[in-house]
Amino acid sequence: MALTVGMIGCGGISRFHFEGLEQVKARVKWVCDLSEDAARPWAAKFGATYTADYLALVNDPEIGLIIITTISSNHKERLSSAKKRLPRTATMRWRLSAPPSGRERYSTRRT
């Protein structure tokens, strides 16, 4: 059974997440963005439903993973809503600097 996913934010960085979801054969059920033009191509590619209202996605009981790729100032509100339905969450914060090895650094926090 494939993991059912909702994506909030369909800007430039989201393509990396969509590529990963495609590789693991996840079922993308929802794509959400204020820009319908940004979200519609992804909805078409994955056979997903488009919405501009992230709460429609968050409140769908079939969703097992919510990925938030909006601008950082929107993360807290969306993450708080997601955590109410999916209390076990993992967040990841990417840093723009890279260590001498050339690999990007990141930190994760499970709550």
Side-chain angles (χ1 to χ4, degrees):
M1 185 163 143
L3 178 64
T4 302
V5 180
M7 176 75 77
I8 303 174
C10 296
I13 198 72
S14 68
R15 78 173 195 267
F16 299 107
H17 296 279
F18 281 120
E19 288 171 3
L21 293 171
E22 188 172 35
Q23 288 175 6
V24 299
K25 297 179 178 28
R27 175 182 173 227
V28 179
K29 184 175 180 185
W30 291 93
V31 293
C32 175
D33 199 287
L34 294 177
S35 168
E36 189 172 347
D37 290 340
R40 284 284 179 199
W42 295 113
K45 179 173 182 159
F46 286 93
T49 302
Y50 163 75
T51 185
D53 177 12
Y54 74 93
L55 291 175
L57 177 161
V58 167
N59 291 320
D60 184 333
E62 289 186 21
I63 298 296
L65 174 67
I66 298 170
I67 300 174
I68 303 170
T69 62
T70 61
I71 60 172
S72 296
S73 60
N74 290 336
H75 286 184
K76 184 177 181 180
E77 178 184 350
R78 281 140 184 80
L79 181 60
S80 294
S81 297
K83 285 178 74 168
K84 288 176 185 170
R85 202 182 68 67
L86 297 170
R88 191 169 167 210
T89 62
T91 59
M92 186 173 286
R93 172 180 225 120
W94 291 91
R95 298 183 183 148
L96 296 177
S97 62
S101 68
R103 296 181 64 191
E104 290 191 54
R105 288 187 283 175
Y106 63 92
S107 61
T108 60
R109 179 180 53 138
R110 290 184 82 69
T111 57

